[in-house]
Amino acid sequence: MIILDYKDTRPVYEQIVEKMQNLILQGVLEPDTQLPSVRALAVEISTNPNTVQKAYSELERRGFMYTVKGKGAFVSYNEELLDWKKQDLRQRIQAVLKEADELHINRSELLQGLENKEE
Amino acid sequence: MIILDYKDTRPVYEQIVEKMQNLILQGVLEPDTQLPSVRALAVEISTNPNTVQKAYSELERRGFMYTVKGKGAFVSYNEELLDWKKQDLRQRIQAVLKEADELHINRSELLQGLENKEE
Amino acid sequence: MIILDYKDTRPVYEQIVEKMQNLILQGVLEPDTQLPSVRALAVEISTNPNTVQKAYSELERRGFMYTVKGKGAFVSYNEELLDWKKQDLRQRIQAVLKEADELHINRSELLQGLENKEE
Amino acid sequence: MIILDYKDTRPVYEQIVEKMQNLILQGVLEPDTQLPSVRALAVEISTNPNTVQKAYSELERRGFMYTVKGKGAFVSYNEELLDWKKQDLRQRIQAVLKEADELHINRSELLQGLENKEE
DNA sequence: GTGGTCTAGACCACA
DNA sequence: GTGGTCTAGACCACA
């Protein structure tokens, strides 16, 4: 389900959050499906349960899953989440462009050739 | 000269690096100008000299300043550095766009209205 | 694992960098092996953890190790690093030879008898 | 007579020593010629007299000049000094080759193409 | 005075 | 436990 990249410098829990989030947004994990338990996932990716727990809490806070006591964690996808993600991506691009502005680097020049997905 | 943002979660030394770098790239600090001494800057922004030292070392490593032992630190700007920065900004935008691709979010839609600096 | 030479005038952190680097290039420390923790090595060679930390950061920057937060530091050797080291050694010899040229000292004379390792 | 390189990372006094030494070994400064006074040279290269003094002391220690109280400093060249310099260069090359040995890098490979001065 | 290194120890996020 | 950052202060070579 999830493969960690040990050469990635980001914290493990952040990698889990990002990967789970993408699986949900992409529809690979469908709404109301049950997710693996904290312990099961920890074993699967051989990491500490604390780390998985931290990732799950963050995903719940962001609205990507809900937990039912005694039953487990479930996917909670809805259209709003994709919008939320779009906003997030857009803000990250804006942050970069703001930096460019400060250095008097032309925005169009920077974005040139990036409008379309390369395949 | 430099104002720290205590709400910023990044380490202090990183904020110093980024701000000095921008001042140099913007031409506010001109080549061969002497920079404030490690101790002077530490007092000015009320931080520890070691922290400023760490920032200065990183700036030297990146080619933004050079150091003459016993005399001080001096600005060492050249055109290549701006190109290097442009590459860096471009790569950061590409990383965001790659994420968008994975979620089937349209690139043009995401970039809409960002081509020009808002004023 | 590492023995410091207190007669060596170079800074302690530089000696650590050089020795670890050699152990990695020689293959004594194999890729993905875990390195001693900052604190453990500091105790072993009776120096300050900050000094070891500085050495580890430099080794990471040079590509000889990678760090997983909360887990530790690991060896990250690849062939390119040895090539890089060869270039470095060659350049240092060239610098000496250039000095010799300026004094009209014959290169061959200087290099005589050095082509083969003494055993 | 001497031009300092401010982008050179070595200490100023070391640059002075090296440059004076080369001028003497090359015969540009002839034996028993009077050298500029500490103060005169300090003004000429706009540095601190302490720095020139340190360089002169080192040159005297190495046998490249002698001082006559009340008169000044004089060049003291003799054949032995060139031999001394050759030994010095040779030792520096040997140090590099010893490093190569430790990494199992072939000496001949490293020295290939360096036997003759490029022009 | 100036940068560079180091000690001794604290605190934090992460696992 | 592990790396990363930081404080407060010392000492050194160099100018």
Side-chain angles (χ1 to χ4, degrees), chain C residues 22-110:
Chain C
N22 283 349
L23 289 174
I24 293 170
L25 285 172
Q26 287 164 31
V28 177
L29 294 174
E30 290 185 18
D32 299 316
T33 308
Q34 182 156 10
L35 292 163
S37 80
V38 169
R39 284 167 186 76
L41 186 55
V43 169
E44 198 187 317
I45 61 181
S46 21
T47 189
N48 189 288
N50 278 336
T51 304
V52 177
Q53 174 72 17
K54 190 166 184 178
Y56 273 30
S57 300
E58 179 60 20
L59 283 163
E60 186 166 13
R61 203 188 61 71
R62 294 194 192 173
F64 287 91
M65 62 167 65
Y66 61 92
T67 252
V68 184
K69 270 185 191 130
K71 293 201 83 176
F74 301 83
V75 175
S76 124
Y77 172 73
N78 66 58
E79 288 293 332
E80 276 175 47
L81 291 173
L82 189 59
D83 280 342
W84 183 84
K85 183 71 185 177
K86 274 186 203 168
Q87 286 301 322
D88 177 55
L89 294 173
R90 211 176 145 86
Q91 275 167 17
R92 280 159 62 191
I93 294 174
Q94 269 177 318
V96 177
L97 292 176
K98 214 181 135 201
E99 252 189 74
D101 290 346
E102 280 164 12
L103 300 174
H104 308 295
I105 294 171
N106 192 278
R107 286 184 173 209
S108 314
E109 187 196 334
L110 208 62

Side-chain angles (χ1 to χ4, degrees), chain A residues 57-97:
Chain A
S57 302
E58 178 60 19
L59 283 164
E60 190 164 7
R61 202 188 60 73
R62 294 192 191 175
F64 286 88
M65 61 167 67
Y66 59 93
T67 49
V68 182
K69 272 188 187 133
K71 294 198 77 178
F74 299 84
V75 176
S76 119
Y77 172 74
N78 61 57
E79 286 295 331
E80 277 174 44
L81 289 175
L82 190 59
D83 281 341
W84 180 84
K85 182 71 183 178
K86 274 186 203 167
Q87 284 305 320
D88 175 54
L89 294 173
R90 211 174 144 88
Q91 273 167 19
R92 280 159 62 192
I93 294 174
Q94 269 176 319
V96 177
L97 292 174

Side-chain angles (χ1 to χ4, degrees), chain D residues 13-119:
Chain D
Y13 91 94
E14 225 175 278
Q15 289 185 49
I16 299 175
V17 167
E18 201 212 282
K19 281 176 181 156
M20 292 288 273
Q21 190 174 300
N22 283 349
L23 289 173
I24 293 171
L25 285 173
Q26 287 164 31
V28 177
L29 293 174
E30 290 185 19
D32 301 317
T33 309
Q34 181 158 12
L35 290 164
S37 76
V38 168
R39 277 172 205 158
L41 185 55
V43 170
E44 198 187 319
I45 61 179
S46 30
T47 191
N48 194 303
N50 284 340
T51 306
V52 177
Q53 182 56 55
K54 187 160 188 179
Y56 272 32
S57 302
E58 178 60 18
L59 283 163
E60 190 165 7
R61 202 187 60 75
R62 293 194 192 173
F64 285 90
M65 61 167 67
Y66 59 93
T67 50
V68 182
K69 272 189 187 132
K71 294 198 80 179
F74 299 85
V75 174
S76 118
Y77 173 75
N78 62 57
E79 287 294 331
E80 278 174 45
L81 290 174
L82 191 58
D83 281 342
W84 182 83
K85 182 71 184 179
K86 273 185 205 168
Q87 284 305 320
D88 176 55
L89 294 173
R90 210 175 146 86
Q91 273 165 20
R92 280 158 63 192
I93 294 173
Q94 268 176 318
V96 177
L97 291 175
K98 211 181 137 204
E99 252 188 74
D101 290 347
E102 279 165 13
L103 301 174
H104 309 296
I105 294 171
N106 193 278
R107 286 184 173 211
S108 315
E109 186 197 335
L110 210 61
L111 294 172
Q112 202 172 25
L114 296 179
E115 310 84 10
N116 295 303
K117 191 174 160 182
E118 69 256 3
E119 316 207 48

